[in-house]
Amino acid sequence: MNLISTVIAFFATIPYITFFIIFYILKKMTNQSTRSTKIAADITTAFFILAVNALLYLIFEHSFLGWTIISFMVAALIIITVQWRIKTEVNFWRAARIVWRAGFVVLAIGYIILVPIGIYYNF
């Protein structure tokens, strides 16, 4: 159990390495760059959530995990509402996928911004 938590902690600490490891493995298995990128981004989003929230806790000494979850839910509601307004059919799976991948982009940018700030405040 200790090994599993250590591996998860490593992957959550540096999620970009996690992304490239998963991408490389999937690329070798499927020979499809686009599909490998999408699946690697989907998997790595969870690690970015952990890493960004850990950085926010380090900087502000307050947990923002609840706000992160609420933000994802509000974004999903907005996407579902837009789908309902434009089309009469609502595709929940597509809305979840859009929110999850947008979360990947936002959290990846947030990680890049928060790492130098966290280093500055920690030293």
Side-chain angles (χ1 to χ4, degrees):
M1 190 63 152
N2 214 4
L3 176 66
I4 294 171
S5 61
T6 303
V7 169
I8 290 172
F10 172 76
F11 286 137
T13 304
I14 310 171
Y16 285 105
I17 292 175
T18 307
F19 175 80
F20 288 115
I21 289 171
I22 294 170
F23 171 76
Y24 180 75
I25 291 169
L26 290 171
K27 176 79 166 103
K28 290 294 180 186
M29 289 172 52
T30 64
N31 271 342
Q32 296 177 353
S33 295
T34 305
R35 186 168 184 227
S36 299
T37 303
K38 290 177 182 179
I39 295 171
D42 289 343
I43 295 169
T44 312
T45 302
F47 293 111
F48 271 110
I49 290 171
L50 294 174
V52 168
N53 280 295
L55 285 168
L56 288 170
Y57 186 80
L58 180 72
I59 295 168
F60 297 110
E61 296 178 357
H62 181 70
S63 177
F64 288 90
L65 186 59
W67 287 107
T68 304
I69 293 169
I70 290 171
S71 298
F72 272 77
M73 290 174 19
V74 167
L77 287 173
I78 292 170
I79 297 295
I80 289 169
T81 304
V82 168
Q83 282 183 358
W84 175 65
R85 290 287 190 179
I86 294 175
K87 307 173 189 175
T88 56
E89 182 180 339
V90 175
N91 187 342
F92 291 105
W93 180 250
R94 184 167 186 231
R97 198 171 58 226
I98 291 168
V99 169
W100 193 251
R101 290 190 181 152
F104 172 79
V105 173
V106 170
L107 292 169
I109 293 169
Y111 184 82
I112 291 172
I113 293 169
L114 290 173
V115 164
I117 295 170
I119 291 171
Y120 175 76
Y121 279 115
N122 209 17
F123 291 111

